[in-house]
């Protein structure tokens, strides 16, 4: 079993909703990235999505765009991100790490080289926003090396495609809660519930819901029917501008702990 | 090889093209593909398009023998395909008329576009006004500053111009922002992409709508000169006017094709926008193509005196034609383009767009290499009125 599969099996056995924070790698501070990852775990993260910065994040709203720009300005690229994952793994062998981002940095790094380095560092999966199922033949070296490709499903996904996605999903299926970009807020819980129920009936992989979840209330509302919730922009926003280790750690803990507590209490 | 047979059903031109987009856009792209396939085989739709191209755009555009320019250069004859004479002043309207008609048939009430020089924005605002559609144009804040006249033209035509302040604040960022709008408003919005980039079916659809340029030019050559040109040249930003000219000639093996990219301050300086001449294969804006990026895969900022060529990617069909050796792509610097601009103005009385001036500069180089009875056919993709302020500022003239 992969680390991701093991984690979702544990959550299921414990009857808990998974909590997946997204942070932009290198933001707010490259030096404190590994410490931030450990803080997230201590505050209740079950899996971490690490955003690989890209200059042209077409699916992201202003919060993640700016975090990405700040990280790039500090010279953060795949090499640094993989280095942080490797360092994180020395003290945490269990928390799955998914790299989220866009295809070009991986393409330029080289698929085979990336696969080998990512597995060596301890990365478990990749979620490449602009690489839909139809184009994912290029990711074969990643699969061969043991990385799981996290697929996305959206409100616009047509029934036939949804069946394909459910059949191909590995690790977990990421359901995008609305048609839009990250950071927007337009959750319609009943629509999402219906779609997620449909996916869960068809897919063997668990379903995580992301986009638009920003606090304990929205996490609990979605957590009623999803296997896990992903929280990105709201966390990135709360971290932005934090400068020293204590500030970053404090903000991450204060943001995530109440959400963890609310999910566990619901 | 049948060069006109591409792309395949997945929108691939050999190793390039495809649909590298977020899941949310897969459905609207499929819807667009189906609508476009149906309409492009529908005689009624094609007749409607032809009518508009003739009576609204003013097609066919002439091919004009620039005798004075040719004499000045002292080589082969230079012929200009006069896309600058189209309504709104560039080839861009060939595409926007086509896409707006598709949008209307699909029942979309709102159109969005990205623009660099503002020509595509103006061409989109124009057809939106005519079809009674709401129109939002995304434009980099840097480009808004250097293309003020076109911004005002768009507003006069009823469009909303949204400044884009992310990234390098130019065309690529405007495209990102338009994609973000589309992903948010998929139900009622049609995205009119302005060049042969983006995900499938855009590179094919935009090419098809601009291919009228080459079809006309090929027929005009045979009719007026009884032969095909020796070489074609056009400027390449995203590549729509170039592929528009090239496409009808792709299977004429004796016709050479040279695309002129923006070499900016010179290819060696790194300040340019020559994706094909100096970039590498990558994935940007929904397709695999040549891109300008660093070793981390970050798209790099480009430079060109002409906003319409200031783009770090290029249409995937050009990437394919380059690798196949069917077309060549070279750089023309800001200075060379400016020199060609002035020379054309003084010898022929034509103010060319700065983008098109790159093609004119390349045509002059090609003409020098050929004998006097040779023919260079150059796509004069647009007129230069929009650039007068840029040129004046560059030359320290107060207007
Ligand atoms: C007159 C003119 N020519 C060329 C271009 C470049 O676009 P493309 O390479 O798609 O023809 C532009 C773009 O704005 C333009 O306005």
């Amino acid at each position: 079993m992969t680390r991701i599969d093991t984690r979702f099996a544990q959550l299921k056995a414990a009857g808990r909703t998974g909590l997946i924070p997204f942070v932009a790698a290198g933001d707010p501070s490259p030096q404190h990235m590994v410490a931030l990852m450990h803080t997230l775990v201590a505050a209740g993260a079950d899996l971490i999505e690490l955003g690989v910065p890209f200059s042209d994040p077409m699916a992201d709203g202003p919060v993640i765009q700016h975090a990405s720009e700040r990280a790039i300005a500090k010279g953060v690229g795949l090499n640094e991100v993989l280095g942080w994952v490797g360092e994180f793994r020395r003290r945490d062998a269990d928390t799955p790490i998914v790299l989220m981002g866009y295809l070009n940095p991986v393409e330029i790094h080289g698929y085979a080289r990336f696969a080998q380095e990512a597995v060596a560092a301890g990365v478990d999966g990749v979620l490449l926003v602009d690489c839909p199922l139809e184009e994912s033949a290029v990711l074969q070296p990643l699969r061969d090396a043991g990385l799981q490709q996290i697929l996305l499903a959206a409100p616009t996904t047509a029934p036939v495609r949804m069946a394909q996605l459910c059949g191909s999903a590995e690790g977990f299926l990421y359901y995008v809660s609305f048609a839009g970009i990250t950071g927007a807020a337009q959750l319609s819980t009943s629509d999402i519930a219906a779609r997620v129920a449909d996916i869960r009936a068809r897919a063997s992989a668990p379903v995580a819901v992301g986009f638009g979840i920003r606090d304990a209330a929205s996490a609990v509302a979605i957590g009623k029917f999803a296997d896990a919730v992903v929280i990105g922009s709201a966390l990135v926003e709360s971290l932005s501008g934090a400068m020293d280790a204590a500030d970053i750690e404090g903000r991450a803990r204060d943001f995530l702990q109440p959400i963890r507590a609310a999910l566990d209490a619901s | 090889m049948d060069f006109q047979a591409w792309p395949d059903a997945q929108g691939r031109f050999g190793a390039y093209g495809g649909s590298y987009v977020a899941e949310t856009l897969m459905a609207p792209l499929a819807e667009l593909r189906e609508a476009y396939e149906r309409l492009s085989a529908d005689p009624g739709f094609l007749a409607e398009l032809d009518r508009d191209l003739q009576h609204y755009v003013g097609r066919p555009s002439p091919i004009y023998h620039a005798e004075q320019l040719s004499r000045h250069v002292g080589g082969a004859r230079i012929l200009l395909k006069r896309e600058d004479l189209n309504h709104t002043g560039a080839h861009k309207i060939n595409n926007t008329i086509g896409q707006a008609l598709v949008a209307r048939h699909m029942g979309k009430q709102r159109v969005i576009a990205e623009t660099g020089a503002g020509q595509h924005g103006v061409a989109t605002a124009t057809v939106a006004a005519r079809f009674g559609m709401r129109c939002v144009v995304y434009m980099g804040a840097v480009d808004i500053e250097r293309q003020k006249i076109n911004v005002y033209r768009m507003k006069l035509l009823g469009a909303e111009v949204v400044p884009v302040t992310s990234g390098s604040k130019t065309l690529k960022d405007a495209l990102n922002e338009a994609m973000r709008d589309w992903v948010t408003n998929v139900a009622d919005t049609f995205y009119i992409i302005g060049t042969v980039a983006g995900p499938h079916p855009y590179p094919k659809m935009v090419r098809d709508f601009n291919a009228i340029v080459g079809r006309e030019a090929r027929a005009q050559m045979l009719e007026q000169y009884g032969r095909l040109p020796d070489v074609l040249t056009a400027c390449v930003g995203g590549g729509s006017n170039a592929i528009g000219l090239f496409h009808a000639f792709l299977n004429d093996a004796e016709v050479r094709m040279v695309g002129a990219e923006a070499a900016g301050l010179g290819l060696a300086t790194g300040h340019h926008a020559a994706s094909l001449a100096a970039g590498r294969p990558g994935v940007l804006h929904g397709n695999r193509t040549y891109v300008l990026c660093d070793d981390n895969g970050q798209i790099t900022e480009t430079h060109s005196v002409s906003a319409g060529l200031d783009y770090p990617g290029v249409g995937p069909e050009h990437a394919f034609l380059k690798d196949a050796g069917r077309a060549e792509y070279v750089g023309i610097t800001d200075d060379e383009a400016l020199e060609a601009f002035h020379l054309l103005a003084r010898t022929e009385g034509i103010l060319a767009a700065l983008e098109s001036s790159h093609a004119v500069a390349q045509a002059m180089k090609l003409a020098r290499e050929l004998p006097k009875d040779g023919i260079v056919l150059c796509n004069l993709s647009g007129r230069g009125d929009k650039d007068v302020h840029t040129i004046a500022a560059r030359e320290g003239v107060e207007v």
Side-chain angles (χ1 to χ4, degrees), chain B residues 90-92 117 119 195 235-241 308-309 353 355-356 381-382:
Chain B
H91 69 291
K92 297 282 178 189
Q119 286 303 104
T195 190
C235 65
V236 178
S240 66
N241 87 87
L309 301 185
E355 292 80 11
S356 321
S381 57

Side-chain angles (χ1 to χ4, degrees), chain B residues 189-315:
Chain B
T189 296
F190 189 103
Y191 181 12
I192 299 186
I193 295 188
T195 190
V196 284
H200 183 54
Y202 284 100
K204 172 182 159 59
M205 180 170 67
V206 177
R207 175 203 69 197
D208 291 351
F209 288 138
N210 267 306
I212 179 92
V213 175
R215 276 201 308 278
E216 277 176 14
R218 195 172 181 282
Q220 288 164 326
M221 285 300 308
L222 293 173
E223 193 186 298
Q224 297 169 32
Y225 294 86
R227 52 165 289 196
L228 296 179
D230 298 287
V231 55
L232 308 175
T233 190
C235 65
V236 178
S240 66
N241 87 87
I243 204 69
L245 177 65
F246 293 177
H247 193 255
F249 296 89
L250 283 176
N251 287 333
D252 298 315
E254 71 276 25
V255 179
R256 220 181 124 195
M257 302 178 182
V258 184
E261 293 190 297
L265 304 181
L267 292 184
T269 66
H271 298 286
H272 59 76
S275 318
L276 289 162
R280 49 180 151 181
V283 174
L284 177 66
H285 292 150
N287 66 89
R288 173 169 287 104
T289 186
Y290 277 76
V291 301
L292 293 169
C293 70
D294 65 19
D295 290 340
N296 279 332
Q298 310 300 353
I299 303 303
T300 41
E301 293 195 10
T302 51
H303 166 83
S304 170
V305 66
S306 77
L309 301 185
D310 217 346
Y311 181 62
V314 64

Side-chain angles (χ1 to χ4, degrees), chain A residues 3 21 43 62 93 102 105 154 205:
Chain A
R3 238 183 316 248
Y102 295 80

Side-chain angles (χ1 to χ4, degrees), chain B residues 1 11 32 56 105 112 128 165 176 202 216 261 307 311-312 344 365 385 396:
Chain B
M1 182 182 336
L32 172 60
Y56 188 67
H105 279 270
I112 57 172
T165 55
N176 292 333
Y202 284 100
E216 277 176 14
E261 293 190 297
Y311 181 62
L344 187 68
K365 287 190 185 180
D385 309 41

